[in-house]
Amino acid sequence: MVKLAHSLLLKLPPELAHNIGRWVLSCVQWVRFRMNPAPWEPPLVVVLPTPSPIRLRSRVGVAAGLDKNAQVFAGLACLGAAFVEVGTVTPLAQAGNPKPRLWRPGSGALVNHMGFNSVGLEGFRKNLHRYRSKVPGLAIFANIGKNRATANEDALGDYRKGFEALLGHVDGFVVNLSSPNTPSLVALQSEAFLTEIASVAPAQVPTWIKLSPDLDNSALEALCGFVRREKRIAGLVLTNTSREMAAEVFGFENGGLSGRPLFSRALECVSIARQALGPEKTLIGVGGIWNAASARQMREAGADLFEVYTGLVYQGPGFLKTLAEVP
Ligand SMILES: Cc1cc2nc3c(=O)[nH]c(=O)nc-3n(C[C@H](O)[C@H](O)[C@H](O)COP(=O)(O)O)c2cc1C
């Protein structure tokens, strides 16, 4: 039944299918906690060496974008996620880019041009509270961004609002500087802006920076060198979607590519970063993970944790439990 429903979903227009998938997840979590109000507390076996160590049930998480508004993270925990990156959340609510903005171009890929559709920090925090206490065994990292209307010169203020509104409600932050769908956002991937982020990042929980696979290797190495020296930054999330591959592989004028064709570049970025960051910083590998073997390769390249989005869309709800076995 589940397999049949999943294959039918993949025949629907992509954004509609995503919305139905999220609705089903919200039903799963509602039923689970209605029938059994006991909190979800699996044995926590992985310890992440961050400011206050984070304990996890495994190394697999769900990447940002799937639960943009913190509505279904408890359902994702029931499917096997050890952590969920909720967001990207922007300070003020915004609608994102016009539709259509999500495509399945083939080869196990997605191209998205969502543009941070978000309920904004206030609605996000309310949503978070609804299920937060029911899943103490799930680590929740808030992926924070800036509003489209905020100029890059004022971007720090938007990130500061994200930290302030959500500190105490989440286990860590991911600063998203790499979505290709918010004009000029990727220009913030600089040492100057990272210095500013480090000056406002909280000391109590870890903050990771999420970077683009379209950075050239020397720019990536230089940013890693900075992160290695900077106490307030726990490490990196590598990678976001690729604007360049969406254009070069599939001829898209807008949007970023995720899924299978991204894997080898994401793996290369993780491996470069592990060399340049040294052993102390934590690395979250994401991009094109398709099965347990590719998750294992991410681990071998130096990722402490790994995340999936597109693989989960194509492989269906059993995917997270398969990956949870990867040591
Ligand atoms: C539809 C869609 C929406 C996304 N939205 C976000 C987002 O809001 N913030 C973010 O940091 N990454 C976002 N991503 C990127 C993913 O978090 C991830 O970095 C990327 O998809 C590569 O992983 P994957 O190949 O497993 O999908 C999005 C990806 C997709 C497909």
Side-chain angles (χ1 to χ4, degrees), residues 63-65 68 88 112 143 176 210 239-241 258-259 286-288 309-310:
K68 280 184 188 280
T88 296
N112 91 82
N143 179 308
N176 182 0
K210 186 167 180 181
T239 69
N240 212 315
T241 56
S258 59
V286 52
Y309 186 151
T310 307

Side-chain angles (χ1 to χ4, degrees), residues 18 62-66 68 85 87-89 101-102 108 110-117 143 174-179 181 210-211 237-242 256-260 262-263 266 286-289 307-313 319:
H18 271 55
V62 174
L66 202 151
K68 280 184 188 280
E85 228 187 271
T88 296
V89 57
R101 53 189 182 179
L102 182 58
L110 288 173
V111 169
N112 91 82
H113 188 234
M114 304 300 286
F116 292 169
N117 46 312
N143 179 308
V174 177
V175 172
N176 182 0
L177 304 180
S178 46
S179 167
N181 302 323
K210 186 167 180 181
L211 298 177
V237 178
L238 290 168
T239 69
N240 212 315
T241 56
S242 170
L257 177 137
S258 59
R260 267 192 121 160
L262 181 59
F263 179 68
V286 52
I289 293 174
E307 299 177 329
V308 292
Y309 186 151
T310 307
L312 179 58
V313 167
F319 190 47

Side-chain angles (χ1 to χ4, degrees), residues 89-91 120-126 128-129 142 144 157-170 173 202:
V89 57
T90 54
L121 282 168
E122 213 180 298
F124 184 92
R125 204 167 50 183
K126 273 191 202 139
L128 202 53
H129 280 171
I144 55 177
D158 275 16
Y159 289 99
R160 191 202 299 262
K161 284 178 193 157
F163 286 130
E164 286 173 359
L166 298 174
L167 184 62
H169 303 278
V170 292
F173 289 93

Side-chain angles (χ1 to χ4, degrees), residues 211-228:
L211 298 177
S212 165
D214 299 334
L215 284 171
D216 64 39
N217 291 350
S218 54
L220 175 60
E221 275 171 6
L223 291 175
C224 289
F226 174 81
V227 169
R228 184 179 190 153

Side-chain angles (χ1 to χ4, degrees), residues 128-143:
L128 202 53
H129 280 171
R130 224 166 271 153
Y131 280 94
R132 184 69 190 103
S133 61
K134 299 193 188 300
V135 285
L138 178 77
I140 299 186
F141 305 142
N143 179 308

